[in-house]
Amino acid sequence: MSWFSELDRLQPLVDDLAFLPVGWGNEGKGPMLNGWQKHAGFSVDQLQTADGMRSVGARTGLLTGPLLCFDFDGETALGLGIYPWEATTWQVHRDNDPFRLKVLCRPTPEQLEMLPQQLDGTVEFQGKTITAPKQDDAKGEALEVFFFGGRQVIVLGEHPSSGGNYFWPAGLGPEALNAPPDDWWAHAVSIALKQTALAASGSRPSKTRNGTRRLDPCPICGRHSGRGGSALWCDETSDGLILCMPGSTFSAEQSHGPLSIGQVVNGYALVKRTGDVLTFKPHQPLPCRRKRNARNQHLARLAVTAS
Ligand SMILES: [Zn+2]
């Protein structure tokens, strides 16, 4: 297999990253060994002789690399203001689909300090922005960002279902692995902040991998993609929550003044504040509360009449 000759280029990274042989089981692509989440990784020699290997994975997260992955899945995922051609770092493309690719980065210690702590005490995170929902006849499209020891990314080899091969564009091989550009990192941090906000709201995006949808524009702060091409955005979750991210140009409190919990803005009630993220829920005046109020008013009026 021709891609085997590229394995040597992984050599300088074997101490920093955990490379894992990936085969194709019944359930698709996945690491070939049990306990891969804790495995220190294979050497290049071990990869070269691994039986049944069809591709090579690398674990992401804080403990190896640290390795951060931006996974662009589909043409619409390239329209979010984060453009692969603007990042000079390791990129894993596919030779039969120009719109499915991964950009790998190694955040700096200073960048890592900007990450919020999650409920489980780690700073690892993952989040998916759905850019085109799944249809009967088409795969869904999304930009997914992950930095999570329970996730690996394929860096070399064959793609199971399509017959395509992964490749590294010239100048963007493993030698180029680099810190993410500032606006990419700002986006990654916003994904991490949204994960903490979702966990605080009782949603479990990391379990279900449902993903959120970018709001363009955001009904609360008005953030939209037109001006400045910011890599920050506000999201709507699958259960209708809005995660509003304040920034320098768009901010709910810049537009509406200081907000308190329960306050309603443009039909949405602020339900939670998690770090910078404001979580809103569609505001529905409760019919039962209205009824109760009417009943209380009626009783109060009767009491006045009686006295
Ligand atoms: Zn917003």
PDB file of all heavy atoms in Angstrom, residues 140-175:
ATOM      1  N   GLY A 140     -25.216  14.192   6.854  1.00  0.00           N
ATOM      2  CA  GLY A 140     -25.219  15.508   7.474  1.00  0.00           C
ATOM      3  C   GLY A 140     -23.871  16.173   7.292  1.00  0.00           C
ATOM      4  O   GLY A 140     -22.879  15.519   6.985  1.00  0.00           O
ATOM      5  N   GLU A 141     -23.846  17.485   7.461  1.00  0.00           N
ATOM      6  CA  GLU A 141     -22.588  18.207   7.359  1.00  0.00           C
ATOM      7  C   GLU A 141     -22.382  19.010   8.638  1.00  0.00           C
ATOM      8  O   GLU A 141     -23.339  19.479   9.247  1.00  0.00           O
ATOM      9  CB  GLU A 141     -22.603  19.126   6.125  1.00  0.00           C
ATOM     10  CG  GLU A 141     -22.801  18.334   4.835  1.00  0.00           C
ATOM     11  CD  GLU A 141     -22.618  19.173   3.578  1.00  0.00           C
ATOM     12  OE1 GLU A 141     -22.494  20.404   3.678  1.00  0.00           O
ATOM     13  OE2 GLU A 141     -22.576  18.566   2.490  1.00  0.00           O
ATOM     14  N   ALA A 142     -21.130  19.146   9.046  1.00  0.00           N
ATOM     15  CA  ALA A 142     -20.867  19.810  10.326  1.00  0.00           C
ATOM     16  C   ALA A 142     -19.393  20.167  10.434  1.00  0.00           C
ATOM     17  O   ALA A 142     -18.540  19.552   9.788  1.00  0.00           O
ATOM     18  CB  ALA A 142     -21.243  18.886  11.488  1.00  0.00           C
ATOM     19  N   LEU A 143     -19.125  21.151  11.258  1.00  0.00           N
ATOM     20  CA  LEU A 143     -17.756  21.387  11.714  1.00  0.00           C
ATOM     21  C   LEU A 143     -17.701  20.907  13.160  1.00  0.00           C
ATOM     22  O   LEU A 143     -18.446  21.382  14.007  1.00  0.00           O
ATOM     23  CB  LEU A 143     -17.389  22.876  11.650  1.00  0.00           C
ATOM     24  CG  LEU A 143     -16.051  23.216  12.319  1.00  0.00           C
ATOM     25  CD1 LEU A 143     -14.879  22.496  11.668  1.00  0.00           C
ATOM     26  CD2 LEU A 143     -15.812  24.721  12.317  1.00  0.00           C
ATOM     27  N   GLU A 144     -16.812  19.948  13.383  1.00  0.00           N
ATOM     28  CA  GLU A 144     -16.679  19.424  14.735  1.00  0.00           C
ATOM     29  C   GLU A 144     -15.292  19.784  15.256  1.00  0.00           C
ATOM     30  O   GLU A 144     -14.312  19.728  14.521  1.00  0.00           O
ATOM     31  CB  GLU A 144     -16.867  17.912  14.723  1.00  0.00           C
ATOM     32  CG  GLU A 144     -16.968  17.329  16.103  1.00  0.00           C
ATOM     33  CD  GLU A 144     -17.408  15.873  16.121  1.00  0.00           C
ATOM     34  OE1 GLU A 144     -17.383  15.216  15.057  1.00  0.00           O
ATOM     35  OE2 GLU A 144     -17.760  15.399  17.193  1.00  0.00           O
ATOM     36  N   VAL A 145     -15.242  20.174  16.510  1.00  0.00           N
ATOM     37  CA  VAL A 145     -13.958  20.484  17.139  1.00  0.00           C
ATOM     38  C   VAL A 145     -13.811  19.541  18.314  1.00  0.00           C
ATOM     39  O   VAL A 145     -14.727  19.442  19.131  1.00  0.00           O
ATOM     40  CB  VAL A 145     -13.919  21.943  17.631  1.00  0.00           C
ATOM     41  CG1 VAL A 145     -12.552  22.275  18.206  1.00  0.00           C
ATOM     42  CG2 VAL A 145     -14.250  22.895  16.498  1.00  0.00           C
ATOM     43  N   PHE A 146     -12.710  18.805  18.362  1.00  0.00           N
ATOM     44  CA  PHE A 146     -12.544  17.958  19.535  1.00  0.00           C
ATOM     45  C   PHE A 146     -11.130  17.942  20.086  1.00  0.00           C
ATOM     46  O   PHE A 146     -10.142  18.035  19.363  1.00  0.00           O
ATOM     47  CB  PHE A 146     -13.120  16.558  19.356  1.00  0.00           C
ATOM     48  CG  PHE A 146     -12.660  15.789  18.139  1.00  0.00           C
ATOM     49  CD1 PHE A 146     -11.573  14.925  18.219  1.00  0.00           C
ATOM     50  CD2 PHE A 146     -13.340  15.895  16.942  1.00  0.00           C
ATOM     51  CE1 PHE A 146     -11.172  14.180  17.112  1.00  0.00           C
ATOM     52  CE2 PHE A 146     -12.946  15.161  15.835  1.00  0.00           C
ATOM     53  CZ  PHE A 146     -11.862  14.308  15.924  1.00  0.00           C
ATOM     54  N   PHE A 147     -11.111  17.855  21.385  1.00  0.00           N
ATOM     55  CA  PHE A 147      -9.879  17.896  22.177  1.00  0.00           C
ATOM     56  C   PHE A 147     -10.219  17.013  23.368  1.00  0.00           C
ATOM     57  O   PHE A 147     -10.671  17.474  24.397  1.00  0.00           O
ATOM     58  CB  PHE A 147      -9.617  19.350  22.602  1.00  0.00           C
ATOM     59  CG  PHE A 147      -8.345  19.561  23.371  1.00  0.00           C
ATOM     60  CD1 PHE A 147      -7.116  19.470  22.738  1.00  0.00           C
ATOM     61  CD2 PHE A 147      -8.365  19.886  24.716  1.00  0.00           C
ATOM     62  CE1 PHE A 147      -5.936  19.686  23.445  1.00  0.00           C
ATOM     63  CE2 PHE A 147      -7.192  20.099  25.428  1.00  0.00           C
ATOM     64  CZ  PHE A 147      -5.981  20.000  24.786  1.00  0.00           C
ATOM     65  N   PHE A 148     -10.093  15.710  23.162  1.00  0.00           N
ATOM     66  CA  PHE A 148     -10.784  14.795  24.059  1.00  0.00           C
ATOM     67  C   PHE A 148     -10.137  13.418  23.953  1.00  0.00           C
ATOM     68  O   PHE A 148     -10.075  12.836  22.870  1.00  0.00           O
ATOM     69  CB  PHE A 148     -12.259  14.750  23.631  1.00  0.00           C
ATOM     70  CG  PHE A 148     -13.124  13.846  24.448  1.00  0.00           C
ATOM     71  CD1 PHE A 148     -13.198  13.995  25.826  1.00  0.00           C
ATOM     72  CD2 PHE A 148     -13.865  12.850  23.840  1.00  0.00           C
ATOM     73  CE1 PHE A 148     -14.002  13.163  26.582  1.00  0.00           C
ATOM     74  CE2 PHE A 148     -14.677  12.013  24.586  1.00  0.00           C
ATOM     75  CZ  PHE A 148     -14.739  12.181  25.963  1.00  0.00           C
ATOM     76  N   GLY A 149      -9.633  12.909  25.077  1.00  0.00           N
ATOM     77  CA  GLY A 149      -8.917  11.644  25.095  1.00  0.00           C
ATOM     78  C   GLY A 149      -9.739  10.449  24.659  1.00  0.00           C
ATOM     79  O   GLY A 149      -9.192   9.391  24.365  1.00  0.00           O
ATOM     80  N   GLY A 150     -11.050  10.605  24.608  1.00  0.00           N
ATOM     81  CA  GLY A 150     -11.910   9.522  24.139  1.00  0.00           C
ATOM     82  C   GLY A 150     -12.145   9.576  22.644  1.00  0.00           C
ATOM     83  O   GLY A 150     -12.968   8.831  22.117  1.00  0.00           O
ATOM     84  N   ARG A 151     -11.429  10.464  21.955  1.00  0.00           N
ATOM     85  CA  ARG A 151     -11.610  10.588  20.502  1.00  0.00           C
ATOM     86  C   ARG A 151     -10.266  10.490  19.817  1.00  0.00           C
ATOM     87  O   ARG A 151      -9.290  11.081  20.250  1.00  0.00           O
ATOM     88  CB  ARG A 151     -12.210  11.953  20.149  1.00  0.00           C
ATOM     89  CG  ARG A 151     -13.605  12.205  20.657  1.00  0.00           C
ATOM     90  CD  ARG A 151     -14.672  11.418  19.933  1.00  0.00           C
ATOM     91  NE  ARG A 151     -14.753  11.674  18.500  1.00  0.00           N
ATOM     92  CZ  ARG A 151     -15.409  12.691  17.961  1.00  0.00           C
ATOM     93  NH1 ARG A 151     -16.036  13.557  18.710  1.00  0.00           N
ATOM     94  NH2 ARG A 151     -15.451  12.841  16.653  1.00  0.00           N
ATOM     95  N   GLN A 152     -10.219   9.782  18.731  1.00  0.00           N
ATOM     96  CA  GLN A 152      -9.016   9.779  17.917  1.00  0.00           C
ATOM     97  C   GLN A 152      -9.367  10.317  16.541  1.00  0.00           C
ATOM     98  O   GLN A 152     -10.526  10.394  16.156  1.00  0.00           O
ATOM     99  CB  GLN A 152      -8.461   8.363  17.829  1.00  0.00           C
ATOM    100  CG  GLN A 152      -9.482   7.379  17.324  1.00  0.00           C
ATOM    101  CD  GLN A 152      -8.940   6.434  16.297  1.00  0.00           C
ATOM    102  OE1 GLN A 152      -7.752   6.344  16.088  1.00  0.00           O
ATOM    103  NE2 GLN A 152      -9.852   5.739  15.645  1.00  0.00           N
ATOM    104  N   VAL A 153      -8.326  10.690  15.824  1.00  0.00           N
ATOM    105  CA  VAL A 153      -8.521  11.227  14.485  1.00  0.00           C
ATOM    106  C   VAL A 153      -7.650  10.406  13.534  1.00  0.00           C
ATOM    107  O   VAL A 153      -6.509  10.068  13.854  1.00  0.00           O
ATOM    108  CB  VAL A 153      -8.170  12.735  14.454  1.00  0.00           C
ATOM    109  CG1 VAL A 153      -6.816  13.015  15.080  1.00  0.00           C
ATOM    110  CG2 VAL A 153      -8.176  13.275  13.035  1.00  0.00           C
ATOM    111  N   ILE A 154      -8.200  10.039  12.375  1.00  0.00           N
ATOM    112  CA  ILE A 154      -7.422   9.292  11.382  1.00  0.00           C
ATOM    113  C   ILE A 154      -6.456  10.257  10.695  1.00  0.00           C
ATOM    114  O   ILE A 154      -6.867  11.325  10.229  1.00  0.00           O
ATOM    115  CB  ILE A 154      -8.338   8.665  10.316  1.00  0.00           C
ATOM    116  CG1 ILE A 154      -9.427   7.803  10.967  1.00  0.00           C
ATOM    117  CG2 ILE A 154      -7.517   7.856   9.312  1.00  0.00           C
ATOM    118  CD1 ILE A 154      -8.958   6.509  11.541  1.00  0.00           C
ATOM    119  N   VAL A 155      -5.188   9.897  10.644  1.00  0.00           N
ATOM    120  CA  VAL A 155      -4.200  10.799  10.051  1.00  0.00           C
ATOM    121  C   VAL A 155      -3.601  10.264   8.746  1.00  0.00           C
ATOM    122  O   VAL A 155      -2.946  11.013   8.016  1.00  0.00           O
ATOM    123  CB  VAL A 155      -3.063  11.123  11.045  1.00  0.00           C
ATOM    124  CG1 VAL A 155      -3.633  11.832  12.278  1.00  0.00           C
ATOM    125  CG2 VAL A 155      -2.283   9.880  11.459  1.00  0.00           C
ATOM    126  N   LEU A 156      -3.804   8.989   8.455  1.00  0.00           N
ATOM    127  CA  LEU A 156      -3.180   8.398   7.265  1.00  0.00           C
ATOM    128  C   LEU A 156      -3.864   7.072   6.947  1.00  0.00           C
ATOM    129  O   LEU A 156      -4.333   6.395   7.851  1.00  0.00           O
ATOM    130  CB  LEU A 156      -1.685   8.145   7.562  1.00  0.00           C
ATOM    131  CG  LEU A 156      -0.805   7.625   6.423  1.00  0.00           C
ATOM    132  CD1 LEU A 156      -0.726   8.649   5.298  1.00  0.00           C
ATOM    133  CD2 LEU A 156       0.607   7.330   6.935  1.00  0.00           C
ATOM    134  N   GLY A 157      -3.911   6.732   5.653  1.00  0.00           N
ATOM    135  CA  GLY A 157      -4.442   5.424   5.284  1.00  0.00           C
ATOM    136  C   GLY A 157      -5.631   5.524   4.355  1.00  0.00           C
ATOM    137  O   GLY A 157      -5.763   6.474   3.578  1.00  0.00           O
ATOM    138  N   GLU A 158      -6.518   4.533   4.474  1.00  0.00           N
ATOM    139  CA  GLU A 158      -7.660   4.427   3.563  1.00  0.00           C
ATOM    140  C   GLU A 158      -8.954   4.773   4.285  1.00  0.00           C
ATOM    141  O   GLU A 158      -9.094   4.487   5.472  1.00  0.00           O
ATOM    142  CB  GLU A 158      -7.775   2.990   3.043  1.00  0.00           C
ATOM    143  CG  GLU A 158      -6.546   2.479   2.323  1.00  0.00           C
ATOM    144  CD  GLU A 158      -6.496   0.955   2.353  1.00  0.00           C
ATOM    145  OE1 GLU A 158      -7.477   0.332   1.911  1.00  0.00           O
ATOM    146  OE2 GLU A 158      -5.498   0.408   2.836  1.00  0.00           O
ATOM    147  N   HIS A 159      -9.877   5.354   3.570  1.00  0.00           N
ATOM    148  CA  HIS A 159     -11.201   5.622   4.120  1.00  0.00           C
ATOM    149  C   HIS A 159     -12.088   4.402   3.864  1.00  0.00           C
ATOM    150  O   HIS A 159     -12.182   3.926   2.728  1.00  0.00           O
ATOM    151  CB  HIS A 159     -11.802   6.869   3.461  1.00  0.00           C
ATOM    152  CG  HIS A 159     -13.136   7.235   4.012  1.00  0.00           C
ATOM    153  ND1 HIS A 159     -14.302   7.009   3.328  1.00  0.00           N
ATOM    154  CD2 HIS A 159     -13.485   7.782   5.196  1.00  0.00           C
ATOM    155  CE1 HIS A 159     -15.331   7.417   4.072  1.00  0.00           C
ATOM    156  NE2 HIS A 159     -14.865   7.892   5.202  1.00  0.00           N
ATOM    157  N   PRO A 160     -12.746   3.874   4.905  1.00  0.00           N
ATOM    158  CA  PRO A 160     -13.402   2.575   4.762  1.00  0.00           C
ATOM    159  C   PRO A 160     -14.469   2.472   3.679  1.00  0.00           C
ATOM    160  O   PRO A 160     -14.398   1.588   2.837  1.00  0.00           O
ATOM    161  CB  PRO A 160     -13.999   2.317   6.153  1.00  0.00           C
ATOM    162  CG  PRO A 160     -13.842   3.567   6.929  1.00  0.00           C
ATOM    163  CD  PRO A 160     -12.833   4.428   6.244  1.00  0.00           C
ATOM    164  N   SER A 161     -15.448   3.369   3.656  1.00  0.00           N
ATOM    165  CA  SER A 161     -16.596   3.113   2.777  1.00  0.00           C
ATOM    166  C   SER A 161     -16.411   3.649   1.359  1.00  0.00           C
ATOM    167  O   SER A 161     -17.026   3.162   0.421  1.00  0.00           O
ATOM    168  CB  SER A 161     -17.860   3.717   3.394  1.00  0.00           C
ATOM    169  OG  SER A 161     -17.623   5.048   3.779  1.00  0.00           O
ATOM    170  N   SER A 162     -15.555   4.625   1.167  1.00  0.00           N
ATOM    171  CA  SER A 162     -15.514   5.309  -0.135  1.00  0.00           C
ATOM    172  C   SER A 162     -14.385   4.832  -1.040  1.00  0.00           C
ATOM    173  O   SER A 162     -14.370   5.149  -2.226  1.00  0.00           O
ATOM    174  CB  SER A 162     -15.335   6.805   0.086  1.00  0.00           C
ATOM    175  OG  SER A 162     -14.034   7.064   0.587  1.00  0.00           O
ATOM    176  N   GLY A 163     -13.413   4.097  -0.480  1.00  0.00           N
ATOM    177  CA  GLY A 163     -12.266   3.707  -1.291  1.00  0.00           C
ATOM    178  C   GLY A 163     -11.244   4.811  -1.459  1.00  0.00           C
ATOM    179  O   GLY A 163     -10.253   4.643  -2.167  1.00  0.00           O
ATOM    180  N   GLY A 164     -11.486   5.961  -0.826  1.00  0.00           N
ATOM    181  CA  GLY A 164     -10.535   7.071  -0.928  1.00  0.00           C
ATOM    182  C   GLY A 164      -9.354   6.883   0.007  1.00  0.00           C
ATOM    183  O   GLY A 164      -9.349   5.997   0.866  1.00  0.00           O
ATOM    184  N   ASN A 165      -8.350   7.703  -0.193  1.00  0.00           N
ATOM    185  CA  ASN A 165      -7.167   7.684   0.664  1.00  0.00           C
ATOM    186  C   ASN A 165      -6.965   9.051   1.300  1.00  0.00           C
ATOM    187  O   ASN A 165      -7.254  10.079   0.681  1.00  0.00           O
ATOM    188  CB  ASN A 165      -5.919   7.338  -0.157  1.00  0.00           C
ATOM    189  CG  ASN A 165      -5.894   5.870  -0.524  1.00  0.00           C
ATOM    190  OD1 ASN A 165      -5.637   5.012   0.312  1.00  0.00           O
ATOM    191  ND2 ASN A 165      -6.204   5.580  -1.777  1.00  0.00           N
ATOM    192  N   TYR A 166      -6.432   9.021   2.506  1.00  0.00           N
ATOM    193  CA  TYR A 166      -6.075  10.275   3.164  1.00  0.00           C
ATOM    194  C   TYR A 166      -4.709  10.722   2.657  1.00  0.00           C
ATOM    195  O   TYR A 166      -3.854   9.900   2.328  1.00  0.00           O
ATOM    196  CB  TYR A 166      -6.015  10.079   4.679  1.00  0.00           C
ATOM    197  CG  TYR A 166      -7.357   9.709   5.278  1.00  0.00           C
ATOM    198  CD1 TYR A 166      -7.685   8.383   5.553  1.00  0.00           C
ATOM    199  CD2 TYR A 166      -8.306  10.680   5.566  1.00  0.00           C
ATOM    200  CE1 TYR A 166      -8.912   8.040   6.098  1.00  0.00           C
ATOM    201  CE2 TYR A 166      -9.544  10.354   6.107  1.00  0.00           C
ATOM    202  CZ  TYR A 166      -9.839   9.028   6.373  1.00  0.00           C
ATOM    203  OH  TYR A 166     -11.052   8.698   6.898  1.00  0.00           O
ATOM    204  N   PHE A 167      -4.519  12.024   2.570  1.00  0.00           N
ATOM    205  CA  PHE A 167      -3.199  12.528   2.184  1.00  0.00           C
ATOM    206  C   PHE A 167      -2.945  13.873   2.848  1.00  0.00           C
ATOM    207  O   PHE A 167      -3.869  14.522   3.344  1.00  0.00           O
ATOM    208  CB  PHE A 167      -3.080  12.649   0.657  1.00  0.00           C
ATOM    209  CG  PHE A 167      -3.859  13.815   0.071  1.00  0.00           C
ATOM    210  CD1 PHE A 167      -3.222  15.025  -0.211  1.00  0.00           C
ATOM    211  CD2 PHE A 167      -5.218  13.709  -0.193  1.00  0.00           C
ATOM    212  CE1 PHE A 167      -3.938  16.104  -0.738  1.00  0.00           C
ATOM    213  CE2 PHE A 167      -5.937  14.783  -0.715  1.00  0.00           C
ATOM    214  CZ  PHE A 167      -5.299  15.984  -0.991  1.00  0.00           C
ATOM    215  N   TRP A 168      -1.668  14.244   2.881  1.00  0.00           N
ATOM    216  CA  TRP A 168      -1.262  15.522   3.462  1.00  0.00           C
ATOM    217  C   TRP A 168      -0.865  16.449   2.328  1.00  0.00           C
ATOM    218  O   TRP A 168       0.089  16.141   1.580  1.00  0.00           O
ATOM    219  CB  TRP A 168      -0.070  15.303   4.397  1.00  0.00           C
ATOM    220  CG  TRP A 168      -0.300  14.250   5.429  1.00  0.00           C
ATOM    221  CD1 TRP A 168      -1.456  13.994   6.094  1.00  0.00           C
ATOM    222  CD2 TRP A 168       0.660  13.293   5.917  1.00  0.00           C
ATOM    223  NE1 TRP A 168      -1.291  12.947   6.968  1.00  0.00           N
ATOM    224  CE2 TRP A 168       0.013  12.489   6.879  1.00  0.00           C
ATOM    225  CE3 TRP A 168       2.010  13.043   5.642  1.00  0.00           C
ATOM    226  CZ2 TRP A 168       0.649  11.461   7.571  1.00  0.00           C
ATOM    227  CZ3 TRP A 168       2.656  12.025   6.325  1.00  0.00           C
ATOM    228  CH2 TRP A 168       1.978  11.243   7.281  1.00  0.00           C
ATOM    229  N   PRO A 169      -1.528  17.581   2.157  1.00  0.00           N
ATOM    230  CA  PRO A 169      -1.125  18.506   1.093  1.00  0.00           C
ATOM    231  C   PRO A 169       0.324  18.958   1.299  1.00  0.00           C
ATOM    232  O   PRO A 169       0.827  18.943   2.428  1.00  0.00           O
ATOM    233  CB  PRO A 169      -2.087  19.694   1.259  1.00  0.00           C
ATOM    234  CG  PRO A 169      -3.249  19.148   2.023  1.00  0.00           C
ATOM    235  CD  PRO A 169      -2.695  18.073   2.911  1.00  0.00           C
ATOM    236  N   ALA A 170       0.964  19.372   0.201  1.00  0.00           N
ATOM    237  CA  ALA A 170       2.368  19.783   0.264  1.00  0.00           C
ATOM    238  C   ALA A 170       2.548  20.886   1.305  1.00  0.00           C
ATOM    239  O   ALA A 170       1.797  21.860   1.332  1.00  0.00           O
ATOM    240  CB  ALA A 170       2.814  20.282  -1.106  1.00  0.00           C
ATOM    241  N   GLY A 171       3.519  20.702   2.185  1.00  0.00           N
ATOM    242  CA  GLY A 171       3.810  21.699   3.216  1.00  0.00           C
ATOM    243  C   GLY A 171       2.913  21.598   4.430  1.00  0.00           C
ATOM    244  O   GLY A 171       3.072  22.343   5.395  1.00  0.00           O
ATOM    245  N   LEU A 172       1.908  20.705   4.388  1.00  0.00           N
ATOM    246  CA  LEU A 172       0.954  20.593   5.494  1.00  0.00           C
ATOM    247  C   LEU A 172       0.950  19.173   6.059  1.00  0.00           C
ATOM    248  O   LEU A 172      -0.085  18.646   6.451  1.00  0.00           O
ATOM    249  CB  LEU A 172      -0.448  21.004   5.027  1.00  0.00           C
ATOM    250  CG  LEU A 172      -0.579  22.433   4.462  1.00  0.00           C
ATOM    251  CD1 LEU A 172      -1.992  22.683   3.941  1.00  0.00           C
ATOM    252  CD2 LEU A 172      -0.222  23.474   5.524  1.00  0.00           C
ATOM    253  N   GLY A 173       2.117  18.569   6.103  1.00  0.00           N
ATOM    254  CA  GLY A 173       2.259  17.240   6.683  1.00  0.00           C
ATOM    255  C   GLY A 173       2.480  17.338   8.184  1.00  0.00           C
ATOM    256  O   GLY A 173       2.365  18.421   8.777  1.00  0.00           O
ATOM    257  N   PRO A 174       2.803  16.208   8.823  1.00  0.00           N
ATOM    258  CA  PRO A 174       3.003  16.198  10.276  1.00  0.00           C
ATOM    259  C   PRO A 174       4.100  17.157  10.733  1.00  0.00           C
ATOM    260  O   PRO A 174       4.050  17.658  11.858  1.00  0.00           O
ATOM    261  CB  PRO A 174       3.378  14.745  10.579  1.00  0.00           C
ATOM    262  CG  PRO A 174       3.657  14.091   9.265  1.00  0.00           C
ATOM    263  CD  PRO A 174       2.946  14.869   8.222  1.00  0.00           C
ATOM    264  N   GLU A 175       5.073  17.453   9.838  1.00  0.00           N
ATOM    265  CA  GLU A 175       6.151  18.386  10.186  1.00  0.00           C
ATOM    266  C   GLU A 175       5.603  19.770  10.491  1.00  0.00           C
ATOM    267  O   GLU A 175       6.248  20.570  11.177  1.00  0.00           O
ATOM    268  CB  GLU A 175       7.145  18.510   9.012  1.00  0.00           C
ATOM    269  CG  GLU A 175       7.728  17.198   8.506  1.00  0.00           C
ATOM    270  CD  GLU A 175       6.795  16.418   7.568  1.00  0.00           C
ATOM    271  OE1 GLU A 175       5.772  16.982   7.142  1.00  0.00           O
ATOM    272  OE2 GLU A 175       7.095  15.234   7.289  1.00  0.00           O
TER     273      GLU A 175
END
